[in-house]
Amino acid sequence: LRPENIKKGVSIMGIIGTHDGFVPGPLDIYNRGSWGNGYSQSSIVDASSEGHETYNSNNIEIVSYKRVSGGKAAYRFSVRISKNGELFNLSPYKSVNVMFSDPDFNTLSERVVTLEVPGVLQTTGSITGAEQTLTLNLSAINVTGVIQLRAKVDQNNSVFIHRVWFT
């Protein structure tokens, strides 16, 4: 029994706990600055050549990049989620979930986000300012691959990824 192994403020046999962090389970990839077992910064990377991500203490900030098509500018981001750059065997999982938020929400009019296994299946939602979770049902597929989160917005902005996990 050591204080760092006991919940903060809890006393067990006179030892007061100091642990107040996240304890990853086998289904966790990332949670507010902490990586699940077997995952690291190489697990969530920018899938485009123009955007970039920043790893903060509580989230991963994804900054959109500008793409001009037909004279109209669109801003996008795309991140690839893998097991440290390696493909996932997705067949054991029911779903993958990504919790995110957009701190610039009030200034945007076009906000579409897509969670997908490229070339296999996808789900789409809208970005709001509050934290929200987008879930992709994996129960009907038996593939090995990566997961991708991508969005299209109407101006340069950031999206924060707070948590990524399987169920």
Side-chain angles (χ1 to χ4, degrees):
L1 290 174
R2 296 188 310 243
E4 63 269 16
N5 294 334
I6 301 171
K7 182 179 177 180
K8 186 175 184 174
V10 173
S11 177
I12 299 178
M13 296 173 42
I15 300 171
I16 298 175
T18 60
H19 179 73
D20 63 354
F22 167 67
V23 179
L27 300 177
D28 291 305
I29 297 172
Y30 175 82
N31 189 352
R32 299 187 188 274
S34 298
W35 293 98
N37 295 328
Y39 300 96
S40 69
Q41 285 189 7
S42 62
S43 298
I44 301 176
V45 297
D46 199 300
S48 65
S49 59
E50 297 92 348
H52 69 278
E53 72 282 342
T54 303
Y55 296 89
N56 302 309
S57 60
N58 290 318
N59 59 56
I60 301 169
E61 181 180 6
I62 307 298
V63 178
S64 63
Y65 62 94
K66 183 178 181 179
R67 175 176 287 173
V68 178
S69 177
K72 183 179 179 192
Y75 295 86
R76 304 172 188 270
F77 75 79
S78 180
V79 293
R80 188 173 39 254
I81 303 167
S82 65
K83 185 145 188 167
N84 287 326
E86 301 296 322
L87 301 177
F88 289 113
N89 174 7
L90 297 170
S91 58
Y93 306 110
K94 293 179 183 176
S95 64
V96 62
N97 311 279
V98 178
M99 180 186 292
F100 63 94
S101 64
D102 183 349
D104 301 318
F105 171 73
N106 291 330
T107 63
L108 301 176
S109 61
E110 182 180 17
R111 301 167 296 277
V112 178
V113 65
T114 302
L115 182 61
E116 66 183 340
V117 176
V120 180
L121 74 159
Q122 69 180 34
T123 188
T124 302
S126 295
I127 298 174
T128 66
E131 286 185 13
Q132 64 196 74
T133 300
L134 194 59
T135 298
L136 181 61
N137 183 351
L138 301 174
S139 60
I141 65 169
N142 184 15
V143 299
T144 300
V146 298
I147 298 158
Q148 195 154 316
L149 179 69
R150 58 188 171 89
K152 179 180 175 187
V153 295
D154 65 355
Q155 60 185 310
N156 194 21
N157 75 312
S158 299
V159 171
F160 295 153
I161 295 177
H162 302 287
R163 185 174 180 209
V164 181
W165 73 103
F166 288 111
T167 52

